[in-house]
Amino acid sequence: MSNMITGAEAMLRALLAEGVNTVFAYPGGSIIKVFDALYDHQKDLKQILVRHEQGATHAAQGYARVSGRTGIAIVTSGPGATNTITGISDAMLDSTPIVVIAGQVGTDALGTDAFQEIDLVGVTQPITKWSYQIRRAEDIPWAVARAFYIAGSGRPGPVVLDFTKTAQMQQIDFKPAKIEYVRSYIPAPDPIESQINDAVQLIDNAKKPLVLVGHGVELGNAEKELAAFIEKGNLPAARTLLGLSALPSDHPLNMGMLGMHGNLAPNVKTNECDVLIAVGMRFDDRVTGTLDTYAKQAKIIHLDIDKSEFGKNVKPDVTVLGDCRLTLKLITERVAKADHKEWIESFKPLDKEEYDKVIDSAIHPADGPLKMGEVVTAVSDAAPADAVLVNDVGLNQMFSSRYFRYRTPRSIVTSGGLGTMGFCMPAAIGATFGAPDRMILAFMGDGGFQMNIQELGTIMQTGAPVKMILMNNTYLGNVRQWQQMMFNSRYSCTHMINPDYSKIAAGYDIPYALVTDRSQLKDAVKQLISAKGPFLLEAAVMDEENVMPMIKPGSPVDKMIFSID
């Protein structure tokens, strides 16, 4: 029986066959046929009209990060397509599965510099797992199935489908495709017995082991396997920024956050341990500090699903290739039970030093202006146990990541590799659709808030219950901190004159509260948490507060400073 439909309709049916229930979209001339087809799918596809194509990609990222599913953005050609480049790049660096479907001119106009034509495949090939131009309707089922397989398997990432008007208009006898194999692409290599045994031998002989927990643990849904591994070997563990919620904050073996603005103890102990076990992380420069002094005393074991990460930055002694959910399980079965009590106890004096010099005054200031740490702590303490932290980039990102309490997996959505200002608001919108039963808390600075402020319109139209916490210090705070530290406080283009956010919130019909004094904080947070829909809480925080401790650029990982002299 013939089932002839347009290519535009076939695209939507192919998405439905992949289990898609939500798309983040912005229409235009070269994709209008798809939007016409969307009109008939209002019951089976949530259609979220964003206010900018960058917002569509970040919303797709937020959806993907909390749900574990592939996020979808649909945009038009030309500027609509190029506006997605930041989100695609962000997804590539943070291994987030999204599929961007972009309209394209008809095949007869390709290469003619037609109106809103751009070589999107050529532009996006370096920043995607796969980028493909669909020129014929008959290729749609195969292309969509392949796109989803590539985006969501192995080390996840973005895929772009450049969808010509010709393919949208053509007729096709549609049958969905299923792809579970692509030649030369091995998403999850089988574990190698000798690598498992070599890792076990090093771990069993370790006197001062340290586990580094990366984003790969959550991407592999390996949180339980990680906990079983560190608990059997009594192994202290520290997390990267993207791996923060892979291990609960209150787990007794959780030693804190790694990196430039991480915790003192795990950074110092990185250069004291004798065996370093890196799980699903890429030894980013913000984690390692200067490489020529990084963990030179340690034997290094690196577990990853992507062999290109091995030796890229830090040379391992043992590599364990494969899905960490499986490789961790195999290692755990073979390692001996151990007790590293004395080694674990050695972290505590460093924890106390950091608490006394930084943390206490950050979250319990005696007087003076509001501080970011106390705002984050107040919100985190009042929020449900499964609340999700979404943050922007800058001081707000570091303060909220440091002081938020992580209780359940997939509880942090942040821009790690690319460091994208403006990421938070659209990503938080996407997260509300990806995890509708969880509270989404969006921490932003005044700079990042204004970068994609137009997405307040998406919140207004959809009612997305984003709880926004705007920590307003009237500066581009992270750059200002660097200017203070390295450029003699020459604050060039970092001070901001900001709008009246109460009027902006009113314009978008979003409830709002302002906190200028800590005596107002508790009641305002209660308003924020109890609101049924979206809410904007503005906190007027200390204007020149710095996030500490810090590894200065070019310094070893164990040389952290507590103040700017």
Side-chain angles (χ1 to χ4, degrees), residues 78-155:
T82 57
N83 280 344
T84 67
I85 300 302
T86 297
I88 294 168
S89 304
D90 198 294
M92 188 66 177
L93 286 174
D94 285 353
S95 303
T96 305
I98 65 171
V99 173
V100 175
I101 300 162
Q104 182 56 279
V105 300
T107 55
D108 58 345
L110 289 172
T112 68
D113 292 333
F115 178 66
Q116 293 193 334
E117 181 195 2
I118 193 75
D119 179 8
L120 186 62
V121 171
V123 169
T124 59
Q125 275 183 335
I127 54 170
T128 55
K129 287 187 74 177
W130 186 51
S131 186
Y132 181 76
Q133 186 175 79
I134 303 174
R135 298 188 179 190
R136 305 181 304 172
E138 63 191 77
D139 295 332
I140 292 168
W142 167 85
V144 171
R146 183 181 171 104
F148 274 78
Y149 177 63
I150 291 173
S153 62
R155 181 179 183 172

Side-chain angles (χ1 to χ4, degrees), residues 427-449:
I429 292 168
T432 66
F433 291 97
D437 297 329
R438 300 177 69 181
M439 182 174 290
I440 308 301
L441 299 165
F443 285 86
M444 292 169 273
D446 42 317
F449 183 86

Side-chain angles (χ1 to χ4, degrees), residues 196-269:
I196 300 294
N197 291 334
D198 288 346
V200 169
Q201 184 177 1
L202 276 182
I203 295 166
D204 282 348
N205 290 326
K207 303 299 182 186
K208 298 178 178 180
L210 179 61
V211 179
L212 309 186
V213 179
H215 191 202
V217 173
E218 289 201 329
L219 293 173
N221 298 308
E223 296 89 354
K224 290 181 180 178
E225 288 75 13
L226 172 73
F229 170 60
I230 64 173
E231 288 165 8
K232 184 175 182 182
N234 203 31
L235 306 169
R239 304 103 77 224
T240 66
L241 175 65
L242 289 172
L244 282 172
S245 61
L247 193 64
S249 296
D250 60 358
H251 192 288
L253 291 170
N254 185 348
M255 299 296 144
M257 174 178 159
L258 295 161
M260 177 175 281
H261 290 295
N263 295 114
L264 176 65
N267 281 329
V268 169
K269 294 301 179 179

Side-chain angles (χ1 to χ4, degrees), residues 251-289:
H251 192 288
L253 291 170
N254 185 348
M255 299 296 144
M257 174 178 159
L258 295 161
M260 177 175 281
H261 290 295
N263 295 114
L264 176 65
N267 281 329
V268 169
K269 294 301 179 179
T270 294
N271 277 4
E272 292 182 13
C273 67
D274 60 0
V275 175
L276 196 67
I277 308 151
V279 186
M281 54 89 73
R282 57 192 176 89
F283 290 108
D284 177 80
D285 60 287
R286 289 296 175 97
V287 164
T288 63

Side-chain angles (χ1 to χ4, degrees), residues 319-336:
T319 61
V320 181
L321 182 63
D323 185 334
C324 65
R325 189 175 185 182
L326 179 55
T327 56
L328 278 173
K329 183 174 183 293
L330 293 172
I331 292 172
T332 304
E333 289 171 352
R334 303 179 193 192
V335 294

